[in-house]
Amino acid sequence: GENVEQHPSTLSVQEGDSAVIKCTYSDSASNYFPWYKQELGKRPQLIIDIRSNVGEKKDQRIAVTLNKTAKHFSLHITETQPEDSAVYFCAASMNQGGKLIFGQGTELSVKP
Amino acid sequence: GAVVSQHPSRVICKSGTSVKIECRSLDFQATTMFWYRQFPKQSLMLMATSNEGSKATYEQGVEKDKFLINHASLTLSTLTVTSAHPEDSSFYICSADGGATDTQYFGPGTRLTVL
């Protein structure tokens, strides 16, 4: 089955700096890759997603890149703010409404 | 937007008892719902896929007789943890397939503590 690896497990940046989180997946049949932000004790919130027919997608300060050949995708957050501090999860799925296999998570800390 | 609710939000029970958790899609119909479990400081682990009107599909390593899933309507799926033990204490989160929007929507989660 699908396996998703995520790095780093923790990431600390200064406010205004950029943060990059990377994920790799194992199943070449996966074609949908969402990123979630989860605050302590809360539900995961979808922040951006990408499908396998697209190499990059951007939404304001957040961008995701996908390298389907290498089977890895990355989340980029620019101009980080303290409110960006949370745990971020990548995931992979065979389709947009299908079951999600999550990465291990990255605890992002943005220091003011 | 689409809303998914879970009930209860928190539950504390004694070891050996059973606990039922409900997952509802409030403003859309969901033929498919998913159940995840999340231990402290860990990722979400998929437990099973719940399909309306049919048996759930369990992930490898998840005991189907211990975690009973019922998806009797297009807006409700239930997860029953039978004979709960302290190691079942976890954060249980459901999600629903949004159908037309083709996006998964997560419930707020249920914190289960087994004493």
Side-chain angles (χ1 to χ4, degrees):
Chain A
E2 176 65 279
N3 182 52
V4 179
E5 296 287 333
Q6 182 173 345
H7 299 281
S9 57
T10 61
L11 180 59
S12 182
V13 300
Q14 286 295 132
E15 181 177 2
D17 288 349
S18 295
V20 179
I21 303 170
K22 298 182 179 181
C23 289
T24 60
Y25 61 100
S26 61
D27 194 336
S28 57
S30 291
N31 60 15
Y32 175 64
F33 308 94
W35 285 89
Y36 290 88
K37 175 183 180 182
Q38 187 181 33
E39 296 177 347
L40 190 63
K42 301 285 184 65
R43 77 185 84 194
Q45 298 278 4
L46 178 69
I47 57 172
I48 197 167
D49 56 9
I50 192 168
R51 305 200 72 170
S52 59
N53 57 350
V54 176
E56 184 174 358
K57 184 176 178 181
K58 189 173 182 180
D59 183 5
Q60 298 182 356
R61 297 186 297 110
I62 296 172
V64 56
T65 59
L66 170 66
N67 183 326
K68 196 176 178 184
T69 302
K71 289 189 282 189
H72 66 70
F73 56 112
S74 300
L75 176 71
H76 303 253
I77 305 174
T78 59
E79 300 173 32
T80 54
Q81 301 165 1
E83 49 265 40
D84 293 331
S85 297
V87 180
Y88 291 80
F89 292 98
C90 63
S93 176
M94 299 291 183
N95 53 64
Q96 198 163 350
K99 67 179 186 181
L100 295 170
I101 304 301
F102 284 85
Q104 294 86 347
T106 297
E107 185 172 4
L108 173 64
S109 175
V110 181
K111 298 183 177 180
Chain B
V3 178
V4 176
S5 70
Q6 276 184 245
H7 178 81
S9 58
R10 292 176 181 270
V11 58
I12 301 173
C13 69
K14 293 182 179 180
S15 185
T17 61
S18 295
V19 175
K20 180 185 283 189
I21 302 170
E22 294 184 347
C23 177
R24 292 182 185 272
S25 56
L26 297 185
D27 50 3
F28 67 100
Q29 294 182 330
T31 55
T32 304
M33 292 183 174
F34 303 92
W35 287 96
Y36 297 86
R37 179 168 55 182
Q38 186 176 32
F39 292 108
K41 294 192 175 293
Q42 292 190 24
S43 185
L44 287 82
M45 298 298 295
L46 178 67
M47 299 175 67
T49 301
S50 170
N51 300 297
E52 187 268 336
S54 64
K55 291 183 178 180
T57 303
Y58 290 82
E59 294 298 303
Q60 190 173 8
V62 178
E63 300 174 59
K64 62 180 181 181
D65 294 331
K66 179 171 180 61
F67 299 100
L68 302 179
I69 292 173
N70 184 279
H71 194 156
S73 78
L74 288 172
T75 59
L76 174 65
S77 176
T78 60
L79 168 68
T80 301
V81 183
T82 62
S83 186
H85 291 284
E87 55 266 31
D88 298 323
S89 298
S90 188
F91 193 49
Y92 291 86
I93 308 176
C94 70
S95 69
D97 174 8
T101 62
D102 215 19
T103 300
Q104 262 189 61
Y105 299 94
F106 282 87
T110 297
R111 175 75 59 191
L112 170 64
T113 302
V114 184
L115 302 176

